[in-house]
PDB file of all heavy atoms in Angstrom:
ATOM      1  N   LEU A 467      13.717 -20.215 -30.910  1.00 95.00           N
ATOM      2  CA  LEU A 467      12.968 -20.402 -29.665  1.00 95.00           C
ATOM      3  C   LEU A 467      13.609 -19.546 -28.583  1.00 95.00           C
ATOM      4  O   LEU A 467      14.801 -19.673 -28.308  1.00 95.00           O
ATOM      5  CB  LEU A 467      12.976 -21.880 -29.249  1.00 95.00           C
ATOM      6  CG  LEU A 467      12.411 -22.190 -27.855  1.00 95.00           C
ATOM      7  CD1 LEU A 467      10.946 -21.782 -27.763  1.00 95.00           C
ATOM      8  CD2 LEU A 467      12.579 -23.677 -27.528  1.00 95.00           C
ATOM      9  N   ILE A 468      12.806 -18.670 -27.976  1.00 95.00           N
ATOM     10  CA  ILE A 468      13.267 -17.827 -26.880  1.00 95.00           C
ATOM     11  C   ILE A 468      12.650 -18.356 -25.585  1.00 95.00           C
ATOM     12  O   ILE A 468      11.434 -18.495 -25.489  1.00 95.00           O
ATOM     13  CB  ILE A 468      12.873 -16.357 -27.077  1.00 95.00           C
ATOM     14  CG1 ILE A 468      13.436 -15.829 -28.394  1.00 95.00           C
ATOM     15  CG2 ILE A 468      13.353 -15.502 -25.908  1.00 95.00           C
ATOM     16  CD1 ILE A 468      12.986 -14.403 -28.726  1.00 95.00           C
ATOM     17  N   CYS A 469      13.501 -18.672 -24.621  1.00 95.00           N
ATOM     18  CA  CYS A 469      13.053 -19.174 -23.322  1.00 95.00           C
ATOM     19  C   CYS A 469      13.350 -18.106 -22.267  1.00 95.00           C
ATOM     20  O   CYS A 469      14.498 -17.664 -22.147  1.00 95.00           O
ATOM     21  CB  CYS A 469      13.775 -20.466 -22.948  1.00 95.00           C
ATOM     22  SG  CYS A 469      13.684 -21.755 -24.209  1.00 95.00           S
ATOM     23  N   ALA A 470      12.336 -17.698 -21.522  1.00 93.00           N
ATOM     24  CA  ALA A 470      12.508 -16.650 -20.518  1.00 93.00           C
ATOM     25  C   ALA A 470      11.979 -17.148 -19.180  1.00 93.00           C
ATOM     26  O   ALA A 470      10.826 -17.565 -19.074  1.00 93.00           O
ATOM     27  CB  ALA A 470      11.769 -15.381 -20.934  1.00 93.00           C
ATOM     28  N   LEU A 471      12.825 -17.109 -18.161  1.00 91.00           N
ATOM     29  CA  LEU A 471      12.463 -17.544 -16.819  1.00 91.00           C
ATOM     30  C   LEU A 471      12.437 -16.324 -15.903  1.00 91.00           C
ATOM     31  O   LEU A 471      13.429 -15.598 -15.806  1.00 91.00           O
ATOM     32  CB  LEU A 471      13.472 -18.571 -16.290  1.00 91.00           C
ATOM     33  CG  LEU A 471      13.166 -19.212 -14.937  1.00 91.00           C
ATOM     34  CD1 LEU A 471      11.929 -20.093 -15.032  1.00 91.00           C
ATOM     35  CD2 LEU A 471      14.368 -20.042 -14.462  1.00 91.00           C
ATOM     36  N   ARG A 472      11.287 -16.080 -15.280  1.00 86.00           N
ATOM     37  CA  ARG A 472      11.175 -14.908 -14.407  1.00 86.00           C
ATOM     38  C   ARG A 472      12.061 -15.089 -13.187  1.00 86.00           C
ATOM     39  O   ARG A 472      12.020 -16.121 -12.527  1.00 86.00           O
ATOM     40  CB  ARG A 472       9.721 -14.700 -13.968  1.00 86.00           C
ATOM     41  CG  ARG A 472       9.500 -13.442 -13.134  1.00 86.00           C
ATOM     42  CD  ARG A 472       8.009 -13.191 -12.919  1.00 86.00           C
ATOM     43  NE  ARG A 472       7.406 -14.242 -12.128  1.00 86.00           N
ATOM     44  CZ  ARG A 472       7.355 -14.258 -10.793  1.00 86.00           C
ATOM     45  NH1 ARG A 472       7.893 -13.267 -10.109  1.00 86.00           N
ATOM     46  NH2 ARG A 472       6.773 -15.248 -10.144  1.00 86.00           N
ATOM     47  N   ASN A 473      12.850 -14.056 -12.888  1.00 79.00           N
ATOM     48  CA  ASN A 473      13.740 -14.149 -11.722  1.00 79.00           C
ATOM     49  C   ASN A 473      13.692 -12.902 -10.859  1.00 79.00           C
ATOM     50  O   ASN A 473      14.635 -12.596 -10.149  1.00 79.00           O
ATOM     51  CB  ASN A 473      15.183 -14.428 -12.159  1.00 79.00           C
ATOM     52  CG  ASN A 473      15.750 -13.325 -13.038  1.00 79.00           C
ATOM     53  OD1 ASN A 473      15.075 -12.350 -13.337  1.00 79.00           O
ATOM     54  ND2 ASN A 473      16.995 -13.483 -13.466  1.00 79.00           N
ATOM     55  N   GLY A 474      12.586 -12.186 -10.919  1.00 70.00           N
ATOM     56  CA  GLY A 474      12.469 -11.021 -10.055  1.00 70.00           C
ATOM     57  C   GLY A 474      11.232 -10.210 -10.349  1.00 70.00           C
ATOM     58  O   GLY A 474      10.476 -10.492 -11.273  1.00 70.00           O
ATOM     59  N   GLU A 475      10.980  -9.208  -9.537  1.00 67.00           N
ATOM     60  CA  GLU A 475       9.886  -8.269  -9.720  1.00 67.00           C
ATOM     61  C   GLU A 475      10.467  -6.869  -9.848  1.00 67.00           C
ATOM     62  O   GLU A 475      11.343  -6.501  -9.057  1.00 67.00           O
ATOM     63  CB  GLU A 475       8.934  -8.333  -8.515  1.00 67.00           C
ATOM     64  CG  GLU A 475       8.203  -9.656  -8.368  1.00 67.00           C
ATOM     65  CD  GLU A 475       7.118  -9.859  -9.424  1.00 67.00           C
ATOM     66  OE1 GLU A 475       6.881  -8.915 -10.212  1.00 67.00           O
ATOM     67  OE2 GLU A 475       6.534 -10.930  -9.466  1.00 67.00           O
ATOM     68  N   PRO A 476       9.980  -6.021 -10.776  1.00 64.00           N
ATOM     69  CA  PRO A 476       9.014  -6.386 -11.814  1.00 64.00           C
ATOM     70  C   PRO A 476       9.588  -7.459 -12.744  1.00 64.00           C
ATOM     71  O   PRO A 476      10.575  -8.058 -12.400  1.00 64.00           O
ATOM     72  CB  PRO A 476       8.774  -5.056 -12.536  1.00 64.00           C
ATOM     73  CG  PRO A 476      10.038  -4.289 -12.331  1.00 64.00           C
ATOM     74  CD  PRO A 476      10.526  -4.684 -10.946  1.00 64.00           C
ATOM     75  N   LEU A 477       8.979  -7.632 -13.896  1.00 70.00           N
ATOM     76  CA  LEU A 477       9.332  -8.774 -14.735  1.00 70.00           C
ATOM     77  C   LEU A 477      10.780  -8.696 -15.216  1.00 70.00           C
ATOM     78  O   LEU A 477      11.086  -8.047 -16.217  1.00 70.00           O
ATOM     79  CB  LEU A 477       8.374  -8.868 -15.920  1.00 70.00           C
ATOM     80  CG  LEU A 477       6.935  -9.253 -15.582  1.00 70.00           C
ATOM     81  CD1 LEU A 477       6.098  -9.328 -16.836  1.00 70.00           C
ATOM     82  CD2 LEU A 477       6.880 -10.566 -14.828  1.00 70.00           C
ATOM     83  N   LEU A 478      11.655  -9.366 -14.495  1.00 82.00           N
ATOM     84  CA  LEU A 478      13.040  -9.529 -14.903  1.00 82.00           C
ATOM     85  C   LEU A 478      13.225 -10.973 -15.321  1.00 82.00           C
ATOM     86  O   LEU A 478      12.701 -11.884 -14.668  1.00 82.00           O
ATOM     87  CB  LEU A 478      13.984  -9.174 -13.758  1.00 82.00           C
ATOM     88  CG  LEU A 478      13.875  -7.743 -13.214  1.00 82.00           C
ATOM     89  CD1 LEU A 478      14.778  -7.565 -12.011  1.00 82.00           C
ATOM     90  CD2 LEU A 478      14.210  -6.727 -14.287  1.00 82.00           C
ATOM     91  N   PHE A 479      13.962 -11.205 -16.395  1.00 86.00           N
ATOM     92  CA  PHE A 479      14.034 -12.543 -16.960  1.00 86.00           C
ATOM     93  C   PHE A 479      15.474 -13.007 -17.127  1.00 86.00           C
ATOM     94  O   PHE A 479      16.369 -12.221 -17.435  1.00 86.00           O
ATOM     95  CB  PHE A 479      13.358 -12.584 -18.338  1.00 86.00           C
ATOM     96  CG  PHE A 479      11.881 -12.363 -18.312  1.00 86.00           C
ATOM     97  CD1 PHE A 479      11.346 -11.126 -18.644  1.00 86.00           C
ATOM     98  CD2 PHE A 479      11.016 -13.384 -17.970  1.00 86.00           C
ATOM     99  CE1 PHE A 479       9.983 -10.911 -18.641  1.00 86.00           C
ATOM    100  CE2 PHE A 479       9.644 -13.186 -17.959  1.00 86.00           C
ATOM    101  CZ  PHE A 479       9.127 -11.946 -18.296  1.00 86.00           C
ATOM    102  N   HIS A 480      15.646 -14.315 -16.906  1.00 88.00           N
ATOM    103  CA  HIS A 480      16.830 -15.008 -17.412  1.00 88.00           C
ATOM    104  C   HIS A 480      16.422 -15.576 -18.763  1.00 88.00           C
ATOM    105  O   HIS A 480      15.455 -16.331 -18.871  1.00 88.00           O
ATOM    106  CB  HIS A 480      17.243 -16.126 -16.458  1.00 88.00           C
ATOM    107  CG  HIS A 480      18.247 -17.069 -17.057  1.00 88.00           C
ATOM    108  ND1 HIS A 480      19.525 -16.683 -17.380  1.00 88.00           N
ATOM    109  CD2 HIS A 480      18.140 -18.376 -17.417  1.00 88.00           C
ATOM    110  CE1 HIS A 480      20.173 -17.712 -17.907  1.00 88.00           C
ATOM    111  NE2 HIS A 480      19.355 -18.748 -17.933  1.00 88.00           N
ATOM    112  N   VAL A 481      17.134 -15.191 -19.832  1.00 90.00           N
ATOM    113  CA  VAL A 481      16.710 -15.510 -21.191  1.00 90.00           C
ATOM    114  C   VAL A 481      17.764 -16.348 -21.890  1.00 90.00           C
ATOM    115  O   VAL A 481      18.963 -16.115 -21.749  1.00 90.00           O
ATOM    116  CB  VAL A 481      16.440 -14.212 -21.996  1.00 90.00           C
ATOM    117  CG1 VAL A 481      15.906 -14.557 -23.389  1.00 90.00           C
ATOM    118  CG2 VAL A 481      15.454 -13.319 -21.259  1.00 90.00           C
ATOM    119  N   ASP A 482      17.294 -17.320 -22.661  1.00 90.00           N
ATOM    120  CA  ASP A 482      18.177 -18.138 -23.485  1.00 90.00           C
ATOM    121  C   ASP A 482      17.489 -18.376 -24.821  1.00 90.00           C
ATOM    122  O   ASP A 482      16.247 -18.394 -24.891  1.00 90.00           O
ATOM    123  CB  ASP A 482      18.476 -19.466 -22.795  1.00 90.00           C
ATOM    124  CG  ASP A 482      19.821 -20.054 -23.229  1.00 90.00           C
ATOM    125  OD1 ASP A 482      20.434 -19.486 -24.146  1.00 90.00           O
ATOM    126  OD2 ASP A 482      20.241 -21.056 -22.641  1.00 90.00           O
ATOM    127  N   CYS A 483      18.251 -18.547 -25.888  1.00 91.00           N
ATOM    128  CA  CYS A 483      17.695 -18.702 -27.227  1.00 91.00           C
ATOM    129  C   CYS A 483      18.310 -19.913 -27.918  1.00 91.00           C
ATOM    130  O   CYS A 483      19.485 -20.227 -27.698  1.00 91.00           O
ATOM    131  CB  CYS A 483      17.937 -17.450 -28.063  1.00 91.00           C
ATOM    132  SG  CYS A 483      17.315 -15.932 -27.323  1.00 91.00           S
ATOM    133  N   PHE A 484      17.509 -20.548 -28.787  1.00 91.00           N
ATOM    134  CA  PHE A 484      17.957 -21.744 -29.479  1.00 91.00           C
ATOM    135  C   PHE A 484      17.496 -21.691 -30.933  1.00 91.00           C
ATOM    136  O   PHE A 484      16.344 -21.377 -31.219  1.00 91.00           O
ATOM    137  CB  PHE A 484      17.390 -23.001 -28.809  1.00 91.00           C
ATOM    138  CG  PHE A 484      17.794 -23.151 -27.367  1.00 91.00           C
ATOM    139  CD1 PHE A 484      17.064 -22.539 -26.362  1.00 91.00           C
ATOM    140  CD2 PHE A 484      18.917 -23.891 -27.020  1.00 91.00           C
ATOM    141  CE1 PHE A 484      17.436 -22.668 -25.031  1.00 91.00           C
ATOM    142  CE2 PHE A 484      19.301 -24.021 -25.691  1.00 91.00           C
ATOM    143  CZ  PHE A 484      18.564 -23.406 -24.702  1.00 91.00           C
ATOM    144  N   ALA A 485      18.404 -22.017 -31.845  1.00 88.00           N
ATOM    145  CA  ALA A 485      18.073 -22.023 -33.271  1.00 88.00           C
ATOM    146  C   ALA A 485      19.061 -22.911 -34.004  1.00 88.00           C
ATOM    147  O   ALA A 485      20.233 -22.973 -33.646  1.00 88.00           O
ATOM    148  CB  ALA A 485      18.104 -20.615 -33.844  1.00 88.00           C
TER     149      ALA A 485
END
Side-chain angles (χ1 to χ4, degrees):
L467 171 61
I468 302 175
C469 307
L471 185 67
R472 184 171 65 88
N473 61 359
E475 294 288 355
L477 291 181
L478 300 175
F479 293 101
H480 167 66
V481 184
D482 207 353
C483 304
F484 300 86

